Amino acid sequence: MAQTVAALDSLTDLLDASSRPIYAVDARRRIVYCNSALAAWLDLQPARIVGRLVEYHSQPAAGGGSRADELAPLADLCPPPRALTGEPCVATISCLARGGGLVHRRAEFVPLGMANLREADSRSQSGVLAFLASRDLTPQELASELSGESSADELHRTIRQFRRAQAVRYAVESLLGESTAMRKLRAQVAAAAASGANTLICGPAGGGRAHVARAIHYSAVGDANVKLVPVDCEVASDDLLRRALDAVRATDPAAHHRPTLLLENLDRLPSSQQAQLSSLISQNLFSARIIATCSRHTRCAVADAESNVEPSKADDPADGTRSVPATLDLALFDAISTITIYVPRLADRLEDLPILAQFFLEAANRASGKQVGSVRADALDLLAFHSWPDELDELRQVIAAAHRACSSHEITPANLPAIIHHASKTAACVRRQPERIVLDELLANIENEAIVRALAQARGNKTEAAELLGMTRPRLYRRLLQLGLAGPEFIEHDSIDEAP
């Protein structure tokens, strides 16, 4: 026993002396050991590191991602979940540097029996020992490691970088993604925030319209204390709307930032209240900025009658034609839609599905004790077959359900809900296109077959064949010519065929 303790002391002394940052995590994801090199890299005392919980998610620490919050888990140091299952692996660890940006180092994770490791909880049975590289990766080195097909490690890092780059508390899932549609949306959000103009946000229910609205507000004011007064117009009574208007009118007009009146589901507001609101805006009775959300767009009645455009085809019209929600008062639309933003459907940006699935997976990690590292590629393929009628809300629920069903470090097709499998099976069934029926051709074929059969039954006698068909002999001759069953020379010499 004494020899074992001495050997372990020698091991920890060796780790302490290493210039590479090293730490150990037990089976319950608590840091049970770190050397001085790691403490120096994090700019924290070892006593403030050991005992801290690590979790595999991308949520910044409380306090806006600053260094300070002692109660926040050190998500930065969490090993990939596959390492916690006993699988040796290599991944990139990203942590906040002294300047507030992210720095990255490669790390090797080795399974380790930890029952007797110094500083370890004696009840721990297994864990992970992490060996970090001796220097940070340069941007060029980090970029060279990115593969064509994003791994969970790369998606995890991308989400963390995106979170750190955002100046707002909201709309992460609504703005996350590198598709063309999402790049356009982020540019529109930035323009709306900078302008301070009234803004109308249109898009599918469940797609994050209200989150985008909050992103515009907080990005514009840069201060969570600036008043935001939300009203759900679908359930708003006259009294509730009046109190909301009073709340924004009561704001000091000399304040540096105007308050924001957020009208969610504006197209569900009764027409009488729409008229009241339009009148107040036109009379400049309050100085609040208005951001409103509405559902699917249809072209205004005149354009609709002229073009016969389907409602679903009128969203974000590429030709620049003005589009007005079907149930939205035109005067109110004019007052609010100084800037109009269209939130794309999830089905129109499926290239963002891997990173969105990873985002919701890490959110599920944060909400539970279970840590899952990734969604396997074949499971992502199944997700792409689904039409996502309930948009991001549905994806969040599907990933949460798969997270609950998962018993390993990655989500597989077996963990996905039945509705996802049904969608893939439906897509696999090739729909048979209905055969096109050309009536003239069909009737000609039928007549052709009837004449041929009559001639065969009459043994070539056209007079008898005409009687069988119920037509005169001259008419039969004309049909034979029209159907290409005989040439003129055949009919000219037909008297031979007519002999008894």
Side-chain angles (χ1 to χ4, degrees):
M1 182 67 181
Q3 291 178 343
T4 301
V5 172
L8 290 170
D9 284 340
S10 298
L11 172 62
T12 51
D13 288 342
L14 182 64
L15 298 178
D16 287 339
S18 175
S19 61
R20 295 177 58 180
I22 300 171
Y23 64 97
V25 177
D26 68 12
R28 295 174 298 176
R29 303 188 314 281
R30 290 199 178 273
I31 300 175
V32 293
Y33 167 79
C34 75
N35 67 357
S36 56
L38 180 80
W41 187 54
L42 296 176
D43 194 23
L44 292 171
Q45 295 297 319
R48 297 169 63 187
I49 300 173
V50 173
R52 299 280 291 277
L53 178 69
V54 294
E55 293 181 322
Y56 195 74
H57 62 72
S58 304
Q59 179 70 30
S66 68
R67 315 265 313 158
D69 188 9
E70 284 295 313
L71 298 178
L74 283 178
D76 301 332
L77 297 181
C78 187
R82 64 183 183 276
L84 295 170
T85 65
E87 177 185 337
C89 62
V90 177
T92 300
I93 289 292
S94 303
C95 285
L96 278 178
R98 290 179 177 85
L102 285 176
V103 291
H104 314 276
R105 290 197 185 190
R106 295 298 282 168
E108 301 174 41
F109 297 97
V110 180
L112 178 68
M114 302 176 61
N116 295 311
L117 187 67
R118 197 171 66 192
E119 291 98 2
D121 187 330
S122 61
R123 293 171 294 177
S124 300
Q125 297 180 352
S126 64
V128 177
L129 191 62
F131 297 86
L132 274 63
S134 56
R135 65 175 181 83
D136 298 339
L137 292 171
T138 66
Q140 294 77 16
E141 290 171 333
L142 184 64
S144 68
E145 291 188 354
L146 301 180
S147 62
E149 181 178 351
S150 295
S151 66
D153 182 32
E154 291 160 7
L155 292 173
H156 178 68
R157 180 168 55 250
T158 299
I159 294 171
R160 289 179 51 72
Q161 290 174 323
F162 183 82
R163 274 195 179 278
R164 300 293 184 187
Q166 295 301 303
V168 299
R169 298 162 46 199
Y170 298 94
V172 174
E173 69 269 31
S174 302
L175 300 178
L176 185 62
E178 289 304 316
S179 62
T180 301
M182 293 313 297
R183 291 175 185 270
K184 178 181 178 181
L185 178 62
R186 286 198 292 271
Q188 291 176 321
V189 167
S195 71
N198 292 342
T199 303
L200 181 65
I201 302 167
C202 305
R209 299 174 311 212
H211 291 286
V212 173
R214 286 171 168 81
I216 293 171
H217 168 76
Y218 287 108
S219 182
V221 302
D223 183 356
N225 294 319
V226 175
K227 186 177 292 185
L228 173 69
V229 181
V231 178
D232 186 350
C233 297
E234 190 167 13
V235 296
S237 62
D238 289 339
D239 181 62
L240 178 61
L241 184 61
R242 189 182 309 109
R243 284 190 281 115
L245 296 175
D246 289 342
V248 293
R249 278 201 295 254
T251 304
D252 182 2
H256 182 62
H257 290 293
R258 293 187 299 160
T260 297
L261 177 63
L262 172 55
L263 300 171
E264 300 181 42
N265 303 306
L266 180 61
D267 48 334
R268 303 295 182 87
L269 191 67
S271 57
S272 59
Q273 293 177 323
Q274 289 190 28
Q276 175 190 0
L277 183 60
S278 177
S279 174
L280 290 173
I281 295 173
S282 64
Q283 297 174 46
N284 293 319
L285 295 182
F286 65 100
S287 61
R289 177 187 192 174
I290 299 177
I291 301 178
T293 70
C294 69
S295 57
R296 192 172 67 180
H297 253 44
T298 57
R299 294 184 189 271
C300 60
V302 175
D304 214 11
E306 292 176 351
S307 62
N308 195 29
V309 176
E310 297 178 24
S312 61
K313 302 296 184 184
D315 289 354
D316 197 7
D319 59 3
T321 306
R322 199 175 108 199
S323 181
V324 182
T327 58
L328 190 56
D329 178 78
L330 185 58
L332 183 59
F333 173 81
D334 287 336
I336 291 177
S337 61
T338 305
I339 296 177
T340 304
I341 294 176
Y342 299 90
V343 179
R345 298 183 309 137
L346 179 55
D348 293 334
R349 56 180 187 113
L350 289 179
E351 58 266 49
D352 294 330
L353 196 57
I355 197 167
L356 289 169
Q358 184 72 21
F359 175 86
F360 290 129
L361 174 63
E362 295 186 14
N365 283 345
R366 186 167 183 258
S368 73
K370 184 192 300 183
Q371 303 292 289
V372 181
S374 63
V375 181
R376 214 166 68 184
D378 51 356
L380 286 171
D381 291 340
L382 290 180
L383 293 176
F385 283 118
H386 191 51
S387 60
W388 302 109
D390 293 324
E391 299 294 326
L392 294 176
D393 288 350
E394 185 178 9
L395 178 59
R396 183 188 297 107
Q397 294 167 5
V398 165
I399 295 300
H403 184 274
R404 290 192 296 271
C406 182
S407 58
S408 67
H409 62 83
E410 61 182 355
I411 288 176
T412 67
N415 305 135
L416 296 175
I419 189 173
I420 301 300
H421 292 277
H422 292 161
S424 65
K425 290 177 182 178
T426 301
C429 297
V430 179
R431 293 187 177 181
R432 189 175 178 184
Q433 294 294 331
E435 185 177 353
R436 185 168 175 262
I437 298 175
V438 180
L439 184 60
D440 290 343
E441 291 181 5
L442 177 63
L443 294 176
N445 290 335
I446 294 173
E447 187 177 9
N448 186 6
E449 182 180 352
I451 291 174
V452 170
R453 290 176 62 182
L455 286 170
Q457 187 173 343
R459 295 189 296 276
N461 188 304
K462 296 180 180 59
T463 300
E464 186 178 345
E467 291 177 355
L468 290 172
L469 292 167
M471 63 175 62
T472 64
R473 180 174 166 175
R475 182 183 174 192
L476 174 61
Y477 282 176
R478 287 196 301 271
R479 295 306 297 155
L480 288 171
L481 285 172
Q482 292 169 357
L483 296 173
L485 295 177
E489 69 284 354
F490 177 78
I491 296 177
E492 288 173 2
H493 302 287
D494 188 55
S495 57
I496 299 175
D497 296 335
E498 295 302 319

